[in-house]
Amino acid sequence: MIDLMGIGRHNGLQILLSSYVDGQVSSAEAARVESHLSGCEECQRDLDNMRATVGLLRAMPDLQPSRSFYLTAEPEPVRRSWAVQWGGALATTAAAAVFITLIAGDMTGLFEQTGLDVRNEAASDAFTAVQPEMAVASDTSATSAMAASALAELETESAAAPQVDSVSAQDEGSDDSASDAEAPAPAGVAAMAAPAPAVATLAEPVEESAAEMRAATESERQDEPMEGAELMPYAGSEAPVVDPSIDVEKALSKASIDSLEISDTSADTSAAVVASSDGDDVPASEDAIEPQQLDLPPTAEIATVAEVADEDSTAITLPLRQLQIAAGAMLAAFVAATLGMLVRRRRNL
Amino acid sequence: MQPDESELVERSKGRDLSAFNQIVERYQSHVFNLSARILGDRAAAEDVAQETFISAFRATDGFRGGSLRGWLLRIASNRSYDSIRSTKRRSENSLDESLENPSFQPASKDPSPEQMALRGELRDEIQAAVLSLPPDQRAVVVMIDVQGLSYDEASEATGASLGTVKSRLSRARAAVRGYLLDRSELLPDQFRQ
């Protein structure tokens, strides 16, 4: 068995012995080695073997090259053409610019995405963004429906005033609970009888705005839910309970959408979405609506929704995701190539 | 760095080729021998040596003082590592025939007794033992044991710390010893213990 200088046993001493052979140890280290050697034959044998090996290596002759290596002419500096020298940097910069432009265009709505999946995603974005409007629209259309039914009721029966208080009491809590909206519709309708004249005065402009909003849902919108978002018609089967004290105009322009009441199931879902104003439940979080930012125009201006929707259809259509991925990959490749060149250049020195 | 070398270096930085060639004359044997022992290939070592001096001339502005020999050998060892990676033809028993050629025996006209006592076969086995080492251990043992560099010069030439140099040297010596013991019939009696 070959004893490789006792490496397995006194491994920690081998480096010291090697340096001791060359005199490259401190006084303290030399004393330690000599003290150990005096009592360890194995290490003494290792030291002798090491000295013999070093002797053999030092006896290796110098080799004579077949030629000299003088420089006969000044070597040309490594000068790359302007294109090669700066091409990498320019390509990296261009790739970065393309990548940033695609990202910025996506975020600002300059670019529209193409493709069915993208459309579905955008549609869900629009749907999510629509919820505030839907809350408003449902309330608005509900108000108009309520007003219409209230007018009809006035023709057939007299109002039950005491009911107003109970409904109002319910409605006061309706900001936080959708279940309140399922209060018996007849009671709600009856409650509207007393303040019906006030409601009726609002019904007409509200009805007009609701109709225009429903018309606006026909236009295609895939982005910018904040502007001209597609509005969904209210699909509730029962007229929601509306607090006659609610100022409809004020409600439409109210910044905090989550205070609005939704009565049907789809409205409940939207209410849940709206309630999560931080966008956690929103499919496209980056486009999540902050209800506080929603600033619906007064009723008379709702007609402009359709116009805004039409204006936005002029956005540039691109396979945005694919381009972003490609630009990002290109940028990463150029950066890696530039770093590789820098490392090689440094190693050559 | 020797006193007159600083002037040669400064003139070389000014693209004075004659001054730089004086540096070449002084260190070309060191550079060539280091490459030859690391690569075990004379032709490849000559290419590395030439590339080393070309690179050194271009990079004289980057020389910040210290051991000029260590600086040159660092360039040479890096070039040698590149050559190893590019050729990928190192094996434990491989040995280029050119190193065995008697026509390339000791450059010195007055070889030492130790060199005279070293037979050709033994020199070949020692070279083979060196080639069996990993490149980093190979460079250190050649620099210190074959070429006689100090630990500090070897540290500067390899870019490794002093402790790392000592560790690599210890392992290299142990491995060379083990390699030679497998072929103990070649060893002089006083080396077989």
Side-chain angles (χ1 to χ4, degrees):
Chain A
M1 198 71 181
I2 297 173
D3 179 14
L4 295 178
M5 301 165 67
I7 289 180
R9 296 192 202 181
H10 297 157
N11 195 20
L13 199 60
Q14 294 307 312
I15 298 176
L16 204 54
L17 286 178
S18 175
S19 301
Y20 180 78
V21 168
D22 300 323
Q24 294 289 328
V25 293
S26 65
S27 302
E29 289 173 333
R32 178 187 161 199
V33 170
E34 290 162 3
S35 172
H36 180 81
L37 290 174
S38 63
C40 180
E41 290 184 6
E42 184 178 354
C43 287
Q44 183 62 56
R45 188 165 54 249
D46 292 342
L47 181 63
D48 294 338
N49 289 336
M50 190 178 296
R51 285 194 170 122
T53 303
V54 172
L56 289 174
L57 289 166
R58 289 178 178 169
M60 292 291 282
D62 288 337
L63 298 173
Q64 185 77 315
S66 62
R67 62 185 178 91
S68 65
F69 305 104
Y70 299 120
L71 302 183
T72 55
E74 180 168 346
E76 288 292 327
V78 180
R79 198 174 287 166
R80 298 182 178 87
S81 68
W82 184 90
V84 174
Q85 191 171 3
W86 293 100
L90 289 176
T92 304
T93 304
V98 169
F99 185 69
I100 292 171
T101 301
L102 290 173
I103 296 297
D106 187 15
M107 292 174 65
T108 58
L110 176 64
F111 299 145
E112 280 188 357
Q113 298 182 41
T114 61
L116 189 60
D117 292 339
V118 172
R119 231 179 259 120
N120 287 340
E121 179 184 337
S124 65
D125 293 344
F127 175 79
T128 303
V130 160
Q131 304 314 314
E133 283 83 358
M134 189 169 110
V136 177
S138 61
D139 183 72
T140 304
S141 56
T143 303
S144 64
M146 280 298 303
S149 62
L151 290 174
E153 288 294 332
L154 285 176
E155 296 177 0
T156 57
E157 62 183 49
S158 57
Q163 294 290 339
V164 175
D165 293 333
S166 63
V167 172
S168 297
Q170 287 183 6
D171 288 339
E172 284 178 1
S174 67
D175 290 346
D176 300 326
S177 172
S179 61
D180 290 339
E182 296 179 354
V189 173
M192 289 299 297
V199 175
T201 59
L202 294 171
E204 189 173 11
V206 170
E207 194 170 356
E208 285 180 359
S209 63
E212 288 163 344
M213 291 169 76
R214 282 192 290 273
T217 63
E218 298 303 322
S219 63
E220 288 188 5
R221 277 293 293 120
Q222 292 188 353
D223 206 345
E224 293 299 320
M226 289 297 295
E227 299 176 354
E230 188 173 8
L231 302 175
M232 302 293 291
Y234 174 63
S237 58
E238 297 180 355
V241 176
V242 177
D243 188 346
S245 65
I246 292 177
D247 185 342
V248 175
E249 287 188 359
K250 184 177 180 180
L252 288 175
S253 61
K254 189 176 181 182
S256 178
I257 303 301
D258 57 355
S259 64
L260 296 176
E261 177 184 10
I262 307 299
S263 62
D264 64 319
T265 53
S266 62
D268 288 347
T269 302
S270 67
V273 173
V274 170
S276 60
S277 60
D278 61 351
D280 286 343
D281 296 333
V282 177
S285 59
E286 61 190 20
D287 294 331
I289 302 297
E290 295 186 0
Q292 293 77 5
Q293 296 178 2
L294 184 63
D295 184 21
L296 292 177
T299 55
E301 297 178 3
I302 293 178
T304 61
V305 166
E307 296 174 358
V308 175
D310 288 335
E311 289 174 2
D312 287 335
S313 65
T314 59
I316 302 170
T317 302
L318 292 173
L320 195 56
R321 287 290 176 258
Q322 291 84 340
L323 286 177
Q324 286 174 344
I325 292 169
M330 198 186 322
L331 175 62
F334 281 129
V335 170
T338 303
L339 289 176
M341 281 171 45
L342 290 174
V343 169
R344 278 196 299 274
R345 194 174 297 174
R346 182 173 183 178
R347 281 214 64 193
N348 286 337
L349 293 177
Chain B
M1 189 165 60
Q2 298 177 23
D4 60 330
E5 284 185 351
S6 60
E7 180 187 350
L8 293 176
V9 170
E10 288 305 312
R11 287 169 56 190
S12 297
K13 290 181 179 181
R15 292 295 179 262
D16 185 345
L17 208 53
S18 63
F20 186 78
N21 280 332
Q22 294 184 51
I23 295 176
V24 173
E25 183 177 9
R26 191 170 298 183
Y27 294 112
Q28 61 181 345
S29 178
H30 290 278
V31 169
F32 172 73
N33 273 272
L34 174 68
S35 303
R37 295 300 181 191
I38 290 178
L39 297 176
D41 184 329
R42 186 181 299 276
E46 290 181 353
D47 292 341
V48 167
Q50 188 69 76
E51 292 171 8
T52 296
F53 288 112
I54 291 175
S55 297
F57 181 74
R58 288 173 175 158
T60 48
D61 289 341
F63 179 68
R64 297 286 181 259
S67 171
L68 183 58
R69 180 171 67 170
W71 181 68
L72 289 170
L73 292 181
R74 181 166 188 179
I75 298 174
S77 60
N78 285 337
R79 293 288 183 187
S80 299
Y81 296 154
D82 292 341
S83 180
I84 290 173
R85 280 191 291 268
S86 65
T87 57
K88 297 181 182 177
R89 57 183 185 89
R90 292 276 77 81
S91 66
E92 287 190 8
N93 296 321
S94 67
L95 182 64
D96 191 89
E97 292 182 356
S98 64
L99 290 178
E100 300 177 32
N101 192 328
S103 67
F104 294 111
Q105 287 307 309
S108 172
K109 293 182 180 178
D110 298 316
S112 66
E114 291 76 14
Q115 290 177 330
M116 289 292 290
L118 214 56
R119 297 193 305 274
E121 290 181 6
L122 180 56
R123 287 197 299 270
D124 293 343
E125 289 303 321
I126 294 172
Q127 177 62 47
V130 170
L131 291 177
S132 71
L133 302 173
D136 55 348
Q137 293 180 24
R138 200 185 304 177
V140 168
V141 76
V142 169
M143 287 178 187
I144 294 176
D145 287 342
V146 179
Q147 295 192 299
L149 267 68
S150 67
Y151 280 31
D152 290 334
E153 281 183 306
S155 174
E156 183 175 352
T158 58
S161 66
L162 199 58
T164 301
V165 168
K166 291 180 178 180
S167 174
R168 289 177 182 173
L169 182 63
S170 172
R171 293 200 303 269
R173 286 171 172 174
V176 169
R177 176 67 179 178
Y179 185 95
L180 294 176
L181 283 178
D182 286 344
R183 299 154 182 80
S184 59
E185 68 279 4
L186 297 174
L187 291 174
D189 293 339
Q190 63 271 29
F191 294 145
R192 277 179 283 169
Q193 297 186 16

